Structures are given as structure tokens and as C-alpha cells.
Amino acid sequence: MKAGLGRGLNALLDASRQDDTNIIQQPSSSGGVMMVDIRKIEPTKDQPRKYFDEAALEELAASMKEYGVISPLVVKENGKVYTIIAGERRYRAARIAKLPEVPVIVKDYSDGDILQVALIENIQRQDLTSIEEAVCYKRLMDDFFFSADDIATKVGKSKHAIISALHLLELDVRVQVLAGEGKLSTSHAKVLLQVEDGDLQLYCAEKIVEEGLSVRGTESLVTAALKEASKLEKEPYEAETPDDVPEEVLRAYRRAEDDLKQVLGSKVNIRPGKKKGRIEIEYYSPDELERLLQVLGRAGS
């Protein structure tokens, strides 16, 4: 098993959760808490969290104005500045609150250790979106060669939970953005994994967000969408395609399909025939059809 930072990591995370009213007077030379000008602090470029809820930051900032920063940031001294190892959310809120200085714990870690700490600290805080959490797991595997068992031990979760989270990275990247913004819950995202087609998956995801569907409602939506898609696939248009169409011509058709898909924002199939061809444009709701008609109307004007 990957040992990583071991007990040093646990000690760091425990220290970063302590109430600074109890430890603020510890001398900085012993690795305790000291106050630092907030202008001398900078985020790390490898921050695992990409989405910060602005409303939540405003709430935290309001609390900081009244009570101060209760939990210190963990930083690394980097010349004349301090790079954040853990605590960027608190740092952002402190800036909103216009605090002149914040409490920090200075640690002398390598760049690799900083990333590992940042990843695990964020996971253990349990306030990442489902996609951000999955990305953290993948980076621990890719950058530090952790196994699912290693991660499960580090973060106190089951191996099944780790693997289940990693499956979310199989979602269409556009759907991952919605999940990364907190607009789709983990349960919603898991249901969407049943949909392999990226465009259909995105359509379902957008309907979930627009209509505020429950998980059960999402299951019904996905079932209906897959049924409709299956019906379209079973229609015998492929039989019209001659067997003697040259491979280079078929490749040209595929390129044309991709071009039309970019213009229309929907899946397009070109079916060449012996005497005539057919262009299919898929849609999954009356609203989607209306959107396509508007796009085609603009293209023809």
C-alpha cells in the first residue's frame, strides 16, 4: 500500500481543524499558528476544487467578519509569499470579508506532497462536488500511483465508493461541467451513466436541471429517452446503403455528419442509398424540435 505522508498527513489535517482560540499563541518557530498579511498569500495552481459557490463564500465571509478565521490555513513559505496547501475556500472568504491578515500553519512540503495533501484534505472536508471528488481520486491514482484500496484507507470510505465515484468521469464532458457546478447530484449523475450517447446524455442532464427532476423523475426520463433512441436505431435505413460504396466516400459522409452535428447541436446520420440518400436529425422532445427548426430557419435565411 502507498504510504504517502502517513501520520504526518493526519497530524496536519488534525491541526488544520483545531480552534485557533486555543493555539493562536503558539510560536511560529515550532510549527504553530501565526498571523500573515493576506496580500502575501497565494493559491496553489494545482487546487483540486474548481468550483466555489459564491453564496456560500459570502455566508462564510459574513461569519469571518464577526468571529474571525477559526480554522487556520495550511501554507508553504515560498520566498516572499505563502502558497496555500489547504484552505483556499477560507482564503477566498477572508478576502471578501476584507480581513487584513489570516492565521496560518507553515509546513515545509515538496510540490508533490502539497498536491497530495491538497487532494486528500479536500476530500476529507466532504464539500467537493461529485466530479471534483472523482478527479481527486483519479489524480491520486495517476500522480501518486494509489490504488482504490489505498484511497479508501486514506479518506475513510469503502473501495466500492471510490470506484463508483470514478465511474462519473465516464460522463460526457458537458454533463461533467453541470455536475461540477453542483447542478446535478451524484445520484442524478449515476442514473445518466446508463445513457451512452453523449448528446442524449446532455439532453437528459439539461432537462434534469431545467425541471428540477428528482432521482426517480430522472430514471423515468432516461428510460423514455433510451426507449425512443432504441426505436430510431431499429428502423431499417441501413439496408438502403449500397454494399459497394467506397470506404473514402463513407469517411466523407462521417465528416459531413460531424460538421452538421456542430452546426445543429444534435446527432446527425447520413444514409446514402442507391437512388437517393437520407439525412436524419435526432431530437428527443418537442422543445428540441422547436430549437432545431429555429436553427434551420436561420441557416436558410
Side-chain angles (χ1 to χ4, degrees):
M1 180 181 292
K2 177 79 175 178
L5 297 175
R7 294 179 60 188
L9 173 61
N10 292 329
L12 166 62
L13 295 179
D14 289 342
S16 70
R17 297 188 183 100
Q18 292 182 47
D19 187 326
D20 64 345
T21 58
N22 296 326
I23 59 177
I24 196 70
Q25 299 303 322
Q26 292 181 16
S28 59
S29 60
S30 65
V33 175
M34 66 179 186
M35 301 302 293
V36 171
D37 187 330
I38 196 168
R39 294 172 298 179
K40 294 183 178 180
I41 298 174
E42 63 179 17
T44 175
K45 63 181 184 299
D46 290 320
Q47 164 62 249
R49 178 187 288 139
K50 302 303 179 186
Y51 175 73
F52 292 85
D53 186 283
E54 293 299 325
L57 284 176
E58 291 287 350
E59 290 179 6
L60 181 57
S63 174
M64 286 180 173
K65 286 180 181 179
E66 185 170 358
Y67 301 108
V69 182
I70 302 301
S71 184
L73 285 64
V74 181
V75 301
K76 176 185 178 181
E77 191 169 3
N78 196 359
K80 295 182 179 181
V81 299
Y82 295 87
T83 301
I84 298 172
I85 299 174
E88 182 169 339
R89 181 171 176 270
R90 280 161 281 159
Y91 163 76
R92 288 175 177 242
R95 293 195 58 166
I96 293 173
K98 300 188 184 311
L99 300 183
E101 56 184 10
V102 292
V104 303
I105 297 174
V106 181
K107 293 290 181 179
D108 186 20
Y109 283 148
S110 68
D111 291 341
D113 288 341
I114 288 175
L115 176 56
Q116 186 180 151
V117 171
L119 290 168
I120 297 178
E121 192 266 353
N122 270 290
I123 294 168
Q124 292 188 343
R125 296 281 182 191
Q126 297 184 335
D127 55 3
L128 294 179
T129 65
S130 56
I131 293 298
E132 287 173 332
E133 183 175 345
V135 169
C136 284
Y137 294 151
K138 189 172 189 304
R139 291 193 68 181
L140 286 171
M141 289 179 163
D142 293 346
D143 296 351
F144 302 103
F145 307 104
F146 277 42
S147 67
D149 285 322
D150 294 335
I151 298 172
T153 300
K154 289 284 187 184
V155 303
K157 296 187 178 183
S158 68
K159 178 180 178 180
H160 173 75
I162 305 302
I163 294 174
S164 180
L166 286 166
H167 280 313
L168 298 181
L169 298 181
E170 298 170 11
L171 290 167
D172 184 278
V173 291
R174 296 166 294 179
V175 177
Q176 288 188 39
V177 170
L178 293 175
E181 293 175 346
K183 295 178 180 177
L184 295 172
S185 70
T186 302
S187 297
H188 287 119
K190 287 179 179 177
V191 175
L192 289 172
L193 284 170
Q194 299 175 45
V195 184
E196 295 182 0
D197 181 84
D199 294 325
L200 180 55
Q201 192 182 95
L202 177 63
Y203 162 75
C204 291
E206 290 177 337
K207 292 289 284 185
I208 294 168
V209 176
E210 290 170 6
E211 300 181 10
L213 295 180
S214 65
V215 175
R216 180 168 295 183
T218 299
E219 291 171 345
S220 298
L221 171 68
V222 166
T223 298
L226 288 174
K227 184 177 180 180
E228 182 65 25
S230 177
K231 187 188 303 182
L232 289 172
E233 289 175 0
K234 289 179 180 178
E235 294 180 357
Y237 296 148
E238 289 290 353
E240 298 178 5
T241 304
D243 295 330
D244 58 350
V245 176
E247 182 63 30
E248 61 269 21
V249 174
L250 290 175
R251 284 198 297 268
Y253 285 139
R254 300 294 84 81
R255 288 195 296 270
E257 287 176 347
D258 290 339
D259 291 341
L260 286 170
K261 178 180 175 182
Q262 292 297 320
V263 173
L264 299 174
S266 292
K267 186 174 182 179
V268 176
N269 293 309
I270 298 177
R271 311 292 192 185
K274 292 180 180 179
K275 296 182 179 180
K276 62 180 181 179
R278 186 191 306 268
I279 297 177
E280 303 170 12
I281 304 171
E282 293 187 8
Y283 68 94
Y284 304 98
S285 72
D287 290 341
E288 182 72 0
L289 175 59
E290 179 65 27
R291 184 189 67 79
L292 286 168
L293 291 173
Q294 290 177 359
V295 172
L296 291 169
R298 287 198 300 270
S301 60

